[in-house]
Amino acid sequence: MRKILALAIAMLMVVGLTSFASASEDPIKVGVCIYQFNDNFMTLYRTELQRYLEEKGAVVTVVDGKNDQAEQTNQINSFIAEGVDVLIINLVQASAADAVIPLVEAAGIPTVFINREPFVDDPSQWDNVWDKVCYVGADARQSGTFQGQLILNLPDQGDVNGNGAVDYVMIQGDMENVDAQYRTEFSIKALTDAGLTVNKLFEQRGEWDQAKGQELAATALAQFGDQIDVIFCNNDGMALGALQSIKAAGRTVGTDIYLVGVDALPEVVQLVESGEFTGTVLNDHIGQSHKAADVALELAGGATPEHTYTVDYVGVTPETMEYVKGVVGLE
Ligand code: BGC
């Protein structure tokens, strides 16, 4: 009996000591800079990023760059002054990396860039940047190619009006962003690589924004009407806007026009499933935010990261639908 009691006391002491040790350890402080809160995709991303980091015991502050690089640079300086352990930065301008990396390096604060691949003037410089800096993102070429394949998989391969060509409208994101550049290029490349003839009717920047997507689609529909076979949008936000204009113009997606986006916003996945939207591509904000958070916590603990971490896009097709619904929380 006495032995059992002694053992129990010893165990209690161990438990007591460990909980004391963990209670006395300061939580990791993470500063998160988002390019703009008013962005459908980045809202899903940042919400999950914060939830996951907090679940891991970190103390997290997330700030809104309001699409203004000067404002974001001030926010980075405030985080540095405050002494956060690690930064996660979704740059407003990819080209600001040249100015931001020296700031965080001088302060000795490891940094994970997310979503917008940092662009440095001299690419060899990015290879030689401070080794506590890395990028977590996705290869936008993949998303463009999947968009093209969604059109190729249609019975008429996107030629609704049967004139022998895919006549298309391209609504672009912010063109400083490689996501916008590659989606614009690789969606069409998938069609021409498959031997289709394409005809670009209209191409303009909607800056990732739903209201601008709606405006541009309305302009294109007014100008080109039935000539349009497909509206490609660099993201789902703009495609949701385009869908409103398509309906207002009396056209029906899947019957007399096609519409594709990228991101797999939950509402778009539902529209794809019900046939009101031709297709989208999963931009895996869960995979990306978890990767960014894990790497950030490792960096705060002293690790040296790899240069780049990429998370795969997934084309949303009948075969992948269940998987995608699981990822975006529709089940
Ligand atoms: C997403 C867009 C988003 C942009 C922000 C892209 O990867 O597809 O929806 O607006 O990132 O940088």
Side-chain angles (χ1 to χ4, degrees):
M1 187 65 194
R2 216 184 272 163
K3 265 193 199 153
I4 295 176
L5 204 63
L7 191 67
I9 291 171
M11 278 171 69
L12 278 176
M13 281 176 67
V14 171
V15 171
L17 279 177
T18 22
S19 56
F20 175 75
S22 57
S24 68
E25 255 173 45
D26 278 342
I28 293 174
K29 275 196 265 169
V30 188
V32 181
C33 298
I34 299 297
Y35 96 94
Q36 163 159 254
F37 278 7
N38 184 20
D39 176 297
N40 309 35
F41 173 74
M42 286 314 301
T43 297
L44 295 176
Y45 191 129
R46 73 182 150 88
T47 307
E48 179 60 18
L49 181 64
Q50 179 160 14
R51 189 203 64 75
Y52 182 81
L53 278 166
E54 283 170 354
E55 183 184 279
K56 300 262 161 189
V59 171
V60 189
T61 310
V62 188
V63 292
D64 180 2
K66 304 199 180 102
N67 208 20
D68 176 346
Q69 187 56 57
E71 165 106 21
Q72 184 176 69
T73 305
N74 285 338
Q75 293 169 336
I76 294 169
N77 280 320
S78 303
F79 276 137
I80 290 174
E82 207 184 289
V84 294
D85 297 304
V86 60
L87 280 162
I88 299 180
I89 303 178
N90 170 212
L91 287 169
V92 174
Q93 286 175 301
S95 57
D98 271 329
V100 169
I101 294 170
L103 282 182
V104 295
E105 179 170 7
I109 300 180
T111 298
V112 179
F113 289 101
I114 56 167
N115 174 254
R116 295 183 163 188
E117 188 162 0
F119 175 83
V120 283
D121 254 353
D122 169 7
S124 66
Q125 220 185 316
W126 176 232
D127 289 334
N128 300 324
V129 291
W130 186 38
D131 66 0
K132 300 292 181 192
V133 161
C134 68
Y135 173 63
V136 175
D139 178 355
R141 283 170 284 211
Q142 237 186 8
S143 54
T145 304
F146 280 136
Q147 280 191 302
Q149 282 169 0
L150 292 169
I151 297 301
L152 282 173
N153 288 343
L154 297 167
D156 59 8
Q157 298 196 301
D159 184 12
V160 189
N161 59 23
N163 69 347
V166 179
D167 303 287
Y168 71 91
V169 166
M170 183 68 71
I171 300 183
Q172 301 172 301
D174 164 10
M175 289 305 281
E176 198 199 303
N177 188 325
V178 285
D179 287 7
Q181 294 162 22
Y182 281 149
R183 289 175 194 166
T184 298
E185 181 186 344
F186 282 77
S187 52
I188 302 307
K189 187 174 181 301
L191 302 184
T192 52
D193 282 355
L196 299 194
T197 306
V198 297
N199 176 29
K200 176 165 73 187
L201 296 171
F202 180 100
E203 182 176 87
Q204 277 196 42
R205 297 171 56 148
E207 311 294 347
W208 303 122
D209 181 66
Q210 183 159 342
K212 293 208 179 92
Q214 180 174 359
E215 243 173 72
L216 292 177
T219 307
L221 285 157
Q223 199 174 342
F224 297 102
D226 291 347
Q227 279 175 268
I228 305 172
D229 290 312
V230 184
I231 299 188
F232 286 95
C233 295
N234 284 170
N235 78 348
D236 280 355
M238 296 187 294
L240 280 169
L243 181 59
Q244 286 170 278
S245 297
I246 289 172
K247 287 182 178 161
R251 306 278 294 270
T252 310
V253 172
T255 306
D256 57 27
I257 194 164
Y258 296 119
L259 174 66
V260 286
V262 174
D263 283 338
L265 298 179
E267 58 206 298
V268 171
V269 173
Q270 281 170 324
L271 291 169
V272 170
E273 205 178 23
S274 64
E276 292 161 81
F277 203 105
T278 310
T280 186
V281 179
L282 172 68
N283 190 3
D284 184 355
H285 66 278
I286 304 284
Q288 290 175 59
S289 57
H290 291 191
K291 188 73 201 171
D294 289 340
V295 173
L297 296 178
E298 282 165 26
L299 289 187
T304 299
E306 284 170 32
H307 190 264
T308 302
Y309 299 86
T310 23
V311 174
D312 275 335
Y313 284 99
V314 180
V316 181
T317 61
E319 293 75 44
T320 61
M321 182 53 91
E322 285 313 302
Y323 168 75
V324 172
K325 281 168 73 178
V327 174
V328 303
L330 284 174
E331 279 167 339

